[in-house]
Amino acid sequence: MSVTAAQGFTAGSTAAGLKTTGQSDVAVVINHGPMFSAGAVFTRNRVKAAPVLLSEESLATAHRTGTPITTVALNSGGANACTGAQGMRDAASMAAAAGAAVGAGYEQALVCSTGLIGTLLPMDALTAGIAAAAESAGDSAEHGTGAAQAIMTTDSVHKEAQVSRGGITVGGMAKGAGMLAPQLATMLVVITTDADITHKQAQKAVADAVTTTFNRVDSDACMSTNDSVILLASGASGVKPSQKDITQMVREVSADLARQLVADAEGASHDVHVTVTSATTEDAAEAVAREICRSNLVKAAIFGNDPNWGRIVAAAGCVPEQVAPFSADDLSVTVNGIEVCRGGGVGRDRDLVDMTPREVEIVVDLGAGTASADMWTNDLTHDYVEENSAYSS
Amino acid sequence: MSVTAAQGFTAGSTAAGLKTTGQSDVAVVINHGPMFSAGAVFTRNRVKAAPVLLSEESLATAHRTGTPITTVALNSGGANACTGAQGMRDAASMAAAAGAAVGAGYEQALVCSTGLIGTLLPMDALTAGIAAAAESAGDSAEHGTGAAQAIMTTDSVHKEAQVSRGGITVGGMAKGAGMLAPQLATMLVVITTDADITHKQAQKAVADAVTTTFNRVDSDACMSTNDSVILLASGASGVKPSQKDITQMVREVSADLARQLVADAEGASHDVHVTVTSATTEDAAEAVAREICRSNLVKAAIFGNDPNWGRIVAAAGCVPEQVAPFSADDLSVTVNGIEVCRGGGVGRDRDLVDMTPREVEIVVDLGAGTASADMWTNDLTHDYVEENSAYSS
């Protein structure tokens, strides 16, 4: 069930003192081969943290030259974002420490950081911690869960997932305290597989999988400066899957982890699943789903257990015609199985809707085509406001 | 100081019983000429309320044929949105009653509604109310403030503004309880002037004025189904202003009313003024300002009196490069006069920032050009969540 579930991977962690609580805060994931393929998707935010800039560059070089990617080092307790030239030097030192731990150079390591923006990392503690974490990995696959715990920030539980079939295993870990505070709680994900795939196949698998999983979880309308989803492949199973099969397995693990992120939204009282159907294209369906997921009025109504279809329809109406063609008169909205809006107007009695389950299912039918898409968000609660106003980040 | 400040206008209001509280809920504004020009801007939401659809059509016809626009009827206590064919018939009946009150047809009246979505208006009460409101207008200009009060929903104060110079007066009224709940509290604005201008000039004046005033107030990222800004011109001053002069006067009244909307955000503890400077274009500056104004993380931090520049920078970074070219390394952020972020990194000590004033001034310098734009929003507070979750709408 962890980042070491796939053959060929070990992981370690340690408390290096980056977190003032004394909890573990550094993790290392090591690929023992025989393949050392990797792919990754990083934040699209133009303000990228130093570890993202460095990892993007190292991965691009690896893809161009065939350099192996042997390790990933991660830390909580500091994001190393908006830290200028010193931040870049620190990210390089972090990668060098991670590479050295497996007898390689900095160019074979990817790095991820999460925590406060605008403060420099305590590099002595961090580099010592990376060495200690790598040491603790030993040669067993037992320490995957410890790594998942070391990357937690405001998470209440660690997050792991695994899929095995056809002789291949894909496992992974993620951190992110729901999508309620993506900047406080940057989303970091490491997925491993023992499939025998190339850099190029790994890149395609992770890029495709993210599109319909992590990119479909939205509450704050913004990726953080540090978001990273990394896939490592060891080839240790000796099985060469088709692109379609490995992509599907990575997608399943990603979907499982993404759902865990939504469920761990501590400030939330509802997980909200928005499905848009009968759209002209999947992109159109996604655009409408995203607009609904981003509406504070919709999210606050759900917190109040109010199946407020007027707000849902008004949010849908904010999507430009050229993005999602539909007629307002054709809209229907179903909340937890009750079609409260039909033909753009009043449907069944909204008092029939049972809003007590934690999971709220919203289905919006555009009546315009045959495509669909779904997305997850949470409700807007007092605890969200409290978490994001009472604590600096 | 009101919608009857300009020569040639009267207004009336009454309690027709649409509001369960017994407060006034119907208003009529009457143009006595000699000119009967009008222009208007309506919501861009694709889900438009019946009164918006009807008024858009009537105004387009008037502009094409030269038909005078003699009256505007407004009601609170019901939005007449998502009400289908019956809603359209009701909007037409409302316009007919407003026209009849001044001895004209329905095509000379514009109509506005605000309140709950998805419920039909009590038409007998409403049409009787329109007649009574018109009757109460009499021939004096004394009742402008009563009209401004009759269109209030969750507003805590009525809103009026006036500018006079060069022999011309522009006055207006608005409703909208801050931008905190634009769907609960649709923005309705009626502005009047005694300038001698044509339909075409009126349309240009109001369209231009809205761009840099009402369109620059943003908190929920969405216009409501009913938003309307209407300008009526009587020509009673006999003064023919230049297009530039009348547009500027309408802009000043609009800016005054827009600022009053922000100030009346009952759930808010801060009014937030975001100015983006050194952008390549005004559109680029506006896009960055809007993204910051829409960030729940920024807004919650301000509620917590935290000058959290990391969240501001991260929000700016979410604007696509092609929309607003700038380099993350060139960003600076000044909060209430303290440059807390400089060159994309740490600037002056954020503890120096005094966050106690209700008005928070955020200036983001993109370092990319010479254009600028500003925008208003409010902070995200517990009261916002409460207002929008505890009460259905």
Side-chain angles (χ1 to χ4, degrees), chain B residues 285-367:
Chain B
E286 183 181 337
V288 174
R290 198 173 289 277
E291 192 77 25
I292 293 166
C293 284
R294 290 181 176 180
S295 164
N296 278 352
L297 291 170
V298 170
K299 289 150 65 83
I302 292 170
F303 171 54
N305 289 323
D306 175 9
N308 195 315
W309 63 268
R311 294 183 183 181
I312 295 169
V313 162
C318 289
V319 177
E321 172 81 30
Q322 64 272 28
V323 173
F326 65 83
S327 161
D329 293 338
D330 294 334
L331 290 177
S332 83
V333 178
T334 301
V335 180
N336 284 351
I338 305 295
E339 192 184 32
V340 285
C341 168
R342 184 183 304 148
V346 181
R348 295 179 67 192
D349 185 349
R350 65 199 210 170
D351 289 345
L352 296 172
V353 180
D354 177 9
M355 293 289 285
T356 54
R358 180 172 172 101
E359 187 168 321
V360 174
E361 286 284 346
I362 296 174
V363 180
V364 177
D365 189 304
L366 300 182

Coordinates of all heavy atoms in Angstrom, one line a residue, chain B residues 285-367:
Chain B
A285 N -3.0 44.2 -16.3 CA -3.1 44.7 -14.9 C -4.4 44.3 -14.2 O -4.4 43.8 -13.1 CB -2.9 46.2 -14.8
E286 N -5.5 44.4 -15.0 CA -6.8 44.0 -14.4 C -6.9 42.5 -14.2 O -7.5 42.1 -13.2 CB -7.9 44.5 -15.4 CG -9.3 44.2 -14.9 CD -10.4 44.6 -15.8 OE1 -10.2 45.5 -16.7 OE2 -11.5 44.0 -15.7
A287 N -6.3 41.7 -15.1 CA -6.4 40.3 -14.9 C -5.7 39.9 -13.6 O -6.1 39.0 -12.9 CB -5.7 39.6 -16.1
V288 N -4.5 40.5 -13.4 CA -3.8 40.1 -12.2 C -4.5 40.6 -10.9 O -4.7 39.9 -9.9 CB -2.4 40.7 -12.2 CG1 -1.6 40.5 -10.9 CG2 -1.6 40.1 -13.3
A289 N -5.1 41.8 -11.0 CA -5.8 42.3 -9.8 C -7.0 41.4 -9.6 O -7.4 41.1 -8.4 CB -6.3 43.8 -10.1
R290 N -7.7 41.0 -10.6 CA -8.9 40.2 -10.5 C -8.6 38.8 -9.8 O -9.3 38.3 -9.0 CB -9.6 40.0 -11.8 CG -11.0 39.5 -11.7 CD -11.8 39.5 -13.0 NE -12.0 40.8 -13.6 CZ -13.1 41.5 -13.3 NH1 -14.0 41.1 -12.4 NH2 -13.3 42.7 -13.8
E291 N -7.4 38.2 -10.3 CA -7.0 36.9 -9.7 C -6.8 37.1 -8.2 O -7.1 36.2 -7.4 CB -5.8 36.4 -10.4 CG -5.4 35.0 -10.2 CD -6.3 34.0 -10.9 OE1 -6.9 34.3 -12.0 OE2 -6.5 32.8 -10.4
I292 N -6.1 38.2 -7.8 CA -5.8 38.4 -6.4 C -7.1 38.6 -5.6 O -7.3 38.0 -4.5 CB -4.9 39.6 -6.2 CG1 -3.5 39.2 -6.8 CG2 -4.8 40.0 -4.8 CD1 -2.6 40.5 -7.0
C293 N -8.1 39.4 -6.2 CA -9.3 39.6 -5.6 C -10.2 38.4 -5.4 O -11.1 38.3 -4.6 CB -10.1 40.7 -6.3 SG -9.5 42.4 -6.1
R294 N -9.9 37.4 -6.2 CA -10.7 36.2 -6.2 C -10.1 35.1 -5.4 O -10.6 34.0 -5.3 CB -10.9 35.6 -7.6 CG -11.9 36.5 -8.4 CD -12.1 36.0 -9.8 NE -13.1 36.8 -10.5 CZ -13.5 36.6 -11.7 NH1 -13.1 35.6 -12.4 NH2 -14.4 37.4 -12.3
S295 N -8.9 35.3 -4.8 CA -8.2 34.3 -4.1 C -8.8 34.2 -2.7 O -8.6 35.1 -1.8 CB -6.7 34.5 -4.0 OG -6.1 33.8 -3.0
N296 N -9.4 33.0 -2.3 CA -9.9 32.8 -1.0 C -8.8 32.9 0.0 O -8.9 33.3 1.2 CB -10.6 31.5 -0.9 CG -12.0 31.6 -1.4 OD1 -12.5 32.7 -1.7 ND2 -12.7 30.4 -1.5
L297 N -7.6 32.4 -0.4 CA -6.5 32.4 0.6 C -6.0 33.8 0.9 O -5.7 34.1 2.0 CB -5.3 31.5 0.0 CG -5.6 30.0 -0.1 CD1 -4.5 29.3 -0.9 CD2 -5.7 29.4 1.3
V298 N -5.9 34.6 -0.1 CA -5.6 36.1 0.1 C -6.6 36.7 1.0 O -6.3 37.4 2.0 CB -5.5 36.8 -1.2 CG1 -5.3 38.3 -0.9 CG2 -4.3 36.3 -2.0
K299 N -7.9 36.5 0.7 CA -9.0 37.1 1.4 C -9.1 36.6 2.9 O -9.4 37.4 3.8 CB -10.3 36.9 0.7 CG -10.4 37.7 -0.7 CD -11.2 37.0 -1.7 CE -12.6 36.9 -1.4 NZ -13.4 38.1 -1.7
A300 N -8.9 35.4 3.1 CA -8.9 34.8 4.5 C -7.7 35.4 5.3 O -7.9 35.7 6.4 CB -8.9 33.3 4.5
A301 N -6.6 35.5 4.6 CA -5.4 36.1 5.3 C -5.7 37.5 5.8 O -5.3 37.9 6.9 CB -4.2 36.0 4.4
I302 N -6.3 38.3 4.9 CA -6.6 39.7 5.3 C -7.6 39.7 6.4 O -7.4 40.5 7.3 CB -7.1 40.4 4.0 CG1 -6.0 40.6 3.0 CG2 -7.7 41.8 4.4 CD1 -6.4 41.1 1.7
F303 N -8.5 38.8 6.4 CA -9.4 38.7 7.6 C -8.6 38.5 8.9 O -8.9 39.0 9.9 CB -10.5 37.6 7.4 CG -11.3 37.3 8.6 CD1 -12.0 38.3 9.3 CD2 -11.4 36.0 9.1 CE1 -12.8 38.0 10.4 CE2 -12.1 35.7 10.2 CZ -12.8 36.7 10.8
G304 N -7.6 37.7 8.7 CA -6.7 37.4 9.9 C -5.6 38.5 10.1 O -4.7 38.3 10.9
N305 N -5.8 39.6 9.4 CA -4.8 40.7 9.6 C -3.4 40.3 9.3 O -2.4 40.8 9.9 CB -4.9 41.4 10.9 CG -6.2 42.1 11.1 OD1 -6.7 42.8 10.2 ND2 -6.8 42.1 12.3
D306 N -3.3 39.4 8.3 CA -2.0 38.9 7.9 C -1.6 39.4 6.5 O -2.3 39.1 5.5 CB -2.1 37.3 7.9 CG -0.8 36.7 7.4 OD1 0.2 37.3 7.2 OD2 -0.9 35.4 7.2
P307 N -0.6 40.2 6.4 CA -0.1 40.8 5.1 C 0.6 39.7 4.3 O 1.8 39.9 4.0 CB 0.7 42.0 5.5 CG 1.3 41.6 6.8 CD 0.3 40.7 7.5
N308 N -0.1 38.6 4.0 CA 0.5 37.4 3.5 C 0.9 37.6 2.0 O 0.2 37.1 1.1 CB -0.4 36.3 3.7 CG 0.2 34.9 3.5 OD1 1.0 34.7 2.6 ND2 -0.1 34.0 4.4
W309 N 2.1 38.1 1.7 CA 2.5 38.4 0.4 C 2.7 37.1 -0.4 O 2.6 37.1 -1.7 CB 3.8 39.3 0.3 CG 5.0 38.6 1.0 CD1 5.4 38.8 2.3 CD2 5.9 37.8 0.3 NE1 6.5 38.1 2.5 CE2 6.9 37.5 1.3 CE3 6.1 37.3 -1.0 CZ2 8.0 36.6 1.0 CZ3 7.2 36.5 -1.2 CH2 8.1 36.2 -0.2
G310 N 3.1 36.0 0.2 CA 3.3 34.7 -0.5 C 2.0 34.3 -1.2 O 2.0 33.9 -2.4
R311 N 0.8 34.5 -0.6 CA -0.4 34.2 -1.2 C -0.8 35.1 -2.3 O -1.4 34.7 -3.3 CB -1.6 34.2 -0.2 CG -1.4 33.1 0.9 CD -2.6 33.1 1.9 NE -2.4 32.1 2.9 CZ -3.2 31.8 3.9 NH1 -4.3 32.5 4.0 NH2 -2.9 30.9 4.8
I312 N -0.4 36.4 -2.2 CA -0.6 37.4 -3.2 C 0.2 37.0 -4.5 O -0.3 37.0 -5.6 CB -0.3 38.8 -2.7 CG1 -1.3 39.2 -1.6 CG2 -0.4 39.8 -3.8 CD1 -0.9 40.4 -0.8
V313 N 1.5 36.7 -4.2 CA 2.4 36.4 -5.3 C 1.9 35.1 -6.0 O 1.9 35.0 -7.3 CB 3.8 36.2 -4.8 CG1 4.7 35.5 -5.8 CG2 4.4 37.6 -4.5
A314 N 1.5 34.1 -5.2 CA 1.0 32.8 -5.8 C -0.3 33.1 -6.6 O -0.4 32.5 -7.7 CB 0.7 31.8 -4.7
A315 N -1.1 34.0 -6.2 CA -2.3 34.3 -7.0 C -1.9 35.0 -8.3 O -2.5 34.6 -9.4 CB -3.3 35.2 -6.2
A316 N -1.0 35.9 -8.3 CA -0.5 36.6 -9.5 C 0.0 35.5 -10.4 O -0.2 35.6 -11.7 CB 0.5 37.6 -9.1
G317 N 0.7 34.5 -9.9 CA 1.3 33.5 -10.7 C 0.4 32.6 -11.4 O 0.7 31.9 -12.4
C318 N -0.9 32.7 -11.1 CA -1.9 31.8 -11.7 C -2.4 32.5 -13.0 O -3.2 31.8 -13.7 CB -3.1 31.6 -10.8 SG -2.6 30.4 -9.4
V319 N -2.1 33.7 -13.2 CA -2.5 34.4 -14.5 C -1.6 33.9 -15.6 O -0.4 34.0 -15.5 CB -2.5 35.9 -14.3 CG1 -2.9 36.6 -15.6 CG2 -3.4 36.4 -13.2
P320 N -2.2 33.4 -16.7 CA -1.4 32.9 -17.8 C -0.4 34.0 -18.4 O -0.8 35.2 -18.4 CB -2.4 32.5 -18.8 CG -3.7 32.2 -18.1 CD -3.7 33.2 -17.0
E321 N 0.7 33.5 -18.8 CA 1.8 34.4 -19.4 C 1.2 35.2 -20.5 O 1.5 36.4 -20.6 CB 2.9 33.5 -19.9 CG 4.0 34.2 -20.7 CD 5.0 34.9 -19.8 OE1 5.2 34.5 -18.6 OE2 5.6 36.0 -20.2
Q322 N 0.4 34.6 -21.4 CA -0.1 35.4 -22.5 C -1.1 36.4 -22.2 O -1.3 37.4 -22.9 CB -0.7 34.4 -23.6 CG -1.9 33.6 -23.2 CD -1.6 32.3 -22.5 OE1 -0.5 32.2 -21.9 NE2 -2.5 31.4 -22.6
V323 N -1.7 36.3 -21.0 CA -2.6 37.3 -20.5 C -1.9 38.5 -19.9 O -2.2 39.7 -20.1 CB -3.7 36.7 -19.5 CG1 -4.5 37.8 -18.9 CG2 -4.5 35.7 -20.2
A324 N -0.9 38.2 -19.1 CA -0.2 39.2 -18.4 C 1.3 38.9 -18.3 O 1.8 38.2 -17.4 CB -0.7 39.4 -17.0
P325 N 2.1 39.3 -19.3 CA 3.5 39.0 -19.3 C 4.2 39.7 -18.1 O 4.0 40.9 -17.9 CB 4.0 39.6 -20.6 CG 2.8 39.9 -21.4 CD 1.7 40.1 -20.4
F326 N 4.9 39.0 -17.3 CA 5.8 39.5 -16.3 C 6.7 38.4 -15.8 O 6.4 37.2 -16.0 CB 5.0 40.1 -15.1 CG 4.2 39.1 -14.3 CD1 4.8 38.3 -13.3 CD2 2.8 38.9 -14.6 CE1 4.0 37.4 -12.6 CE2 2.1 38.0 -13.8 CZ 2.7 37.2 -12.9
S327 N 7.8 38.7 -15.1 CA 8.7 37.7 -14.6 C 8.5 37.7 -13.0 O 8.4 38.7 -12.4 CB 10.1 38.1 -14.9 OG 11.0 37.3 -14.0
A328 N 8.4 36.4 -12.5 CA 8.2 36.3 -11.1 C 9.3 37.0 -10.3 O 9.1 37.5 -9.2 CB 8.1 34.8 -10.7
D329 N 10.5 37.1 -10.9 CA 11.6 37.7 -10.2 C 11.5 39.2 -10.1 O 12.3 39.9 -9.4 CB 12.9 37.3 -10.9 CG 13.2 35.9 -10.7 OD1 12.7 35.2 -9.8 OD2 14.0 35.4 -11.6
D330 N 10.6 39.8 -10.8 CA 10.4 41.2 -10.8 C 9.3 41.7 -10.0 O 9.0 42.9 -9.8 CB 10.2 41.7 -12.3 CG 11.4 41.5 -13.2 OD1 12.5 41.4 -12.6 OD2 11.2 41.4 -14.4
L331 N 8.5 40.8 -9.4 CA 7.3 41.2 -8.6 C 7.7 41.9 -7.3 O 8.6 41.5 -6.6 CB 6.5 40.0 -8.2 CG 5.8 39.2 -9.4 CD1 5.1 38.0 -8.8 CD2 4.8 40.2 -10.0
S332 N 7.0 43.0 -7.0 CA 7.0 43.5 -5.7 C 5.6 43.7 -5.2 O 4.7 43.9 -5.9 CB 7.8 44.8 -5.6 OG 7.0 45.9 -6.0
V333 N 5.4 43.6 -3.9 CA 4.1 43.7 -3.2 C 4.2 44.6 -2.1 O 5.0 44.4 -1.2 CB 3.6 42.3 -2.7 CG1 2.2 42.4 -2.0 CG2 3.5 41.3 -3.9
T334 N 3.4 45.7 -2.1 CA 3.3 46.6 -1.0 C 1.9 46.5 -0.3 O 0.9 46.6 -1.0 CB 3.6 48.0 -1.5 OG1 4.9 48.1 -2.1 CG2 3.5 49.1 -0.4
V335 N 1.9 46.3 1.0 CA 0.7 46.3 1.7 C 0.6 47.4 2.7 O 1.5 47.5 3.6 CB 0.5 44.9 2.5 CG1 -0.8 44.9 3.2 CG2 0.6 43.7 1.5
N336 N -0.4 48.2 2.6 CA -0.5 49.4 3.5 C 0.8 50.2 3.6 O 1.2 50.6 4.7 CB -1.1 49.0 4.9 CG -2.6 48.8 4.8 OD1 -3.2 49.0 3.7 ND2 -3.2 48.2 5.8
G337 N 1.5 50.3 2.5 CA 2.7 51.2 2.5 C 4.0 50.5 2.7 O 5.1 51.1 2.6
I338 N 4.0 49.2 3.1 CA 5.2 48.5 3.4 C 5.5 47.5 2.3 O 4.7 46.6 2.0 CB 5.1 47.7 4.8 CG1 4.7 48.7 5.9 CG2 6.4 47.0 5.1 CD1 5.7 49.7 6.2
E339 N 6.7 47.6 1.7 CA 7.0 46.7 0.6 C 7.5 45.4 1.1 O 8.7 45.2 1.3 CB 8.1 47.4 -0.3 CG 8.3 46.6 -1.6 CD 9.4 47.2 -2.5 OE1 10.4 47.7 -1.9 OE2 9.3 47.2 -3.7
V340 N 6.6 44.5 1.4 CA 6.9 43.2 2.0 C 7.5 42.2 1.1 O 8.1 41.2 1.6 CB 5.6 42.6 2.7 CG1 5.2 43.4 3.9 CG2 4.4 42.6 1.7
C341 N 7.3 42.4 -0.2 CA 8.0 41.5 -1.2 C 8.7 42.4 -2.2 O 8.1 43.3 -2.7 CB 6.9 40.6 -1.9 SG 7.5 39.7 -3.3
R342 N 9.9 42.0 -2.5 CA 10.7 42.8 -3.5 C 11.5 41.9 -4.3 O 12.1 40.9 -3.8 CB 11.6 43.8 -2.7 CG 12.4 44.7 -3.6 CD 13.4 45.5 -2.7 NE 12.7 46.2 -1.7 CZ 13.2 46.5 -0.5 NH1 14.4 46.1 -0.2 NH2 12.5 47.2 0.4
G343 N 11.5 42.1 -5.6 CA 12.2 41.2 -6.5 C 11.8 39.7 -6.4 O 12.6 38.8 -6.5
G344 N 10.5 39.5 -6.1 CA 10.0 38.2 -6.1 C 10.3 37.4 -4.8 O 10.0 36.3 -4.6
G345 N 11.0 38.1 -3.9 CA 11.4 37.5 -2.6 C 11.1 38.3 -1.4 O 10.3 39.3 -1.5
V346 N 11.6 38.0 -0.3 CA 11.3 38.7 1.0 C 11.8 40.2 0.9 O 12.9 40.5 0.4 CB 12.1 38.0 2.1 CG1 11.8 38.7 3.4 CG2 11.7 36.6 2.2
G347 N 10.9 41.1 1.3 CA 11.2 42.5 1.3 C 11.3 42.9 2.8 O 12.0 42.3 3.6
R348 N 10.6 44.0 3.1 CA 10.7 44.5 4.5 C 9.9 43.6 5.4 O 9.0 42.9 5.0 CB 10.1 46.0 4.5 CG 11.0 47.0 3.7 CD 10.4 48.4 3.8 NE 10.5 48.9 5.2 CZ 9.8 50.0 5.5 NH1 9.1 50.7 4.6 NH2 9.9 50.5 6.8
D349 N 10.1 43.7 6.7 CA 9.5 42.9 7.7 C 8.0 43.1 7.7 O 7.5 44.2 7.8 CB 10.1 43.3 9.1 CG 9.6 42.5 10.2 OD1 8.6 41.7 10.0 OD2 10.1 42.6 11.3
R350 N 7.3 42.0 7.5 CA 5.8 42.2 7.4 C 5.2 42.6 8.8 O 4.0 43.0 8.8 CB 5.2 40.9 6.9 CG 5.3 39.7 7.7 CD 5.0 38.5 6.7 NE 4.4 37.4 7.3 CZ 3.9 36.3 6.6 NH1 3.9 36.4 5.3 NH2 3.4 35.3 7.2
D351 N 5.9 42.4 9.8 CA 5.4 42.9 11.1 C 5.2 44.4 11.1 O 4.5 45.0 12.0 CB 6.3 42.5 12.3 CG 6.2 41.0 12.5 OD1 5.2 40.3 12.0 OD2 7.1 40.4 13.2
L352 N 5.9 45.1 10.2 CA 5.7 46.6 10.1 C 4.4 47.0 9.6 O 4.0 48.2 9.7 CB 6.8 47.1 9.2 CG 8.3 47.0 9.7 CD1 9.3 47.4 8.6 CD2 8.5 47.7 11.0
V353 N 3.7 46.1 8.9 CA 2.4 46.5 8.3 C 1.3 46.6 9.3 O 1.0 45.7 10.1 CB 2.0 45.4 7.2 CG1 0.7 45.8 6.6 CG2 3.1 45.2 6.2
D354 N 0.6 47.8 9.3 CA -0.5 48.0 10.2 C -1.8 47.6 9.5 O -2.2 48.2 8.5 CB -0.6 49.5 10.5 CG -1.8 49.9 11.4 OD1 -2.5 48.9 11.8 OD2 -2.1 51.1 11.6
M355 N -2.4 46.5 9.9 CA -3.5 45.9 9.3 C -4.8 46.4 10.0 O -5.9 45.8 9.7 CB -3.5 44.4 9.2 CG -2.4 43.9 8.3 SD -2.7 44.1 6.6 CE -4.0 42.8 6.3
T356 N -4.8 47.3 10.9 CA -6.0 47.7 11.6 C -7.0 48.5 10.8 O -8.2 48.4 11.1 CB -5.6 48.4 12.9 OG1 -4.8 49.5 12.6 CG2 -4.9 47.5 13.9
P357 N -6.6 49.3 9.9 CA -7.6 50.1 9.1 C -8.6 49.2 8.4 O -8.2 48.1 7.9 CB -6.8 50.9 8.1 CG -5.4 51.0 8.7 CD -5.2 49.7 9.4
R358 N -9.8 49.6 8.3 CA -10.8 48.8 7.5 C -10.3 48.7 6.0 O -10.5 47.7 5.4 CB -12.2 49.4 7.6 CG -13.2 48.6 6.8 CD -14.6 49.0 6.9 NE -15.5 48.2 6.0 CZ -16.2 47.2 6.3 NH1 -16.3 46.8 7.5 NH2 -16.9 46.5 5.4
E359 N -9.8 49.8 5.5 CA -9.3 49.7 4.1 C -7.9 49.2 4.0 O -7.0 49.8 4.7 CB -9.4 51.1 3.5 CG -9.2 51.1 2.0 CD -9.6 52.5 1.4 OE1 -10.6 53.0 1.8 OE2 -8.8 52.9 0.5
V360 N -7.7 48.2 3.3 CA -6.4 47.6 3.1 C -5.9 47.9 1.6 O -6.6 47.6 0.7 CB -6.4 46.1 3.3 CG1 -5.0 45.5 2.9 CG2 -6.7 45.8 4.7
E361 N -4.7 48.5 1.5 CA -4.2 48.9 0.2 C -3.1 47.9 -0.2 O -2.1 47.8 0.4 CB -3.6 50.3 0.3 CG -4.6 51.4 0.3 CD -5.3 51.7 -1.0 OE1 -4.8 51.2 -2.0 OE2 -6.3 52.4 -1.0
I362 N -3.4 47.2 -1.3 CA -2.4 46.3 -1.8 C -1.9 46.8 -3.2 O -2.7 47.0 -4.1 CB -2.9 44.8 -2.0 CG1 -3.3 44.3 -0.6 CG2 -1.9 43.9 -2.7 CD1 -4.0 42.9 -0.7
V363 N -0.6 47.0 -3.3 CA -0.1 47.4 -4.6 C 0.9 46.4 -5.1 O 1.9 46.0 -4.4 CB 0.7 48.8 -4.5 CG1 1.2 49.2 -5.9 CG2 -0.3 49.9 -4.0
V364 N 0.6 45.8 -6.3 CA 1.5 44.8 -6.9 C 2.2 45.4 -8.1 O 1.5 45.8 -9.0 CB 0.7 43.5 -7.3 CG1 1.6 42.5 -7.9 CG2 0.1 42.9 -6.0
D365 N 3.5 45.5 -8.1 CA 4.3 46.0 -9.2 C 4.8 44.9 -10.0 O 5.6 44.1 -9.5 CB 5.4 46.9 -8.7 CG 6.1 47.7 -9.8 OD1 6.6 47.1 -10.7 OD2 6.2 48.9 -9.7
L366 N 4.4 44.8 -11.3 CA 4.8 43.7 -12.1 C 6.2 43.9 -12.8 O 6.8 42.9 -13.3 CB 3.8 43.4 -13.2 CG 2.3 43.1 -12.8 CD1 1.4 42.8 -14.0 CD2 2.3 41.9 -11.9
G367 N 6.6 45.1 -12.8 CA 7.9 45.4 -13.4 C 8.0 45.1 -14.9 O 9.1 44.7 -15.4

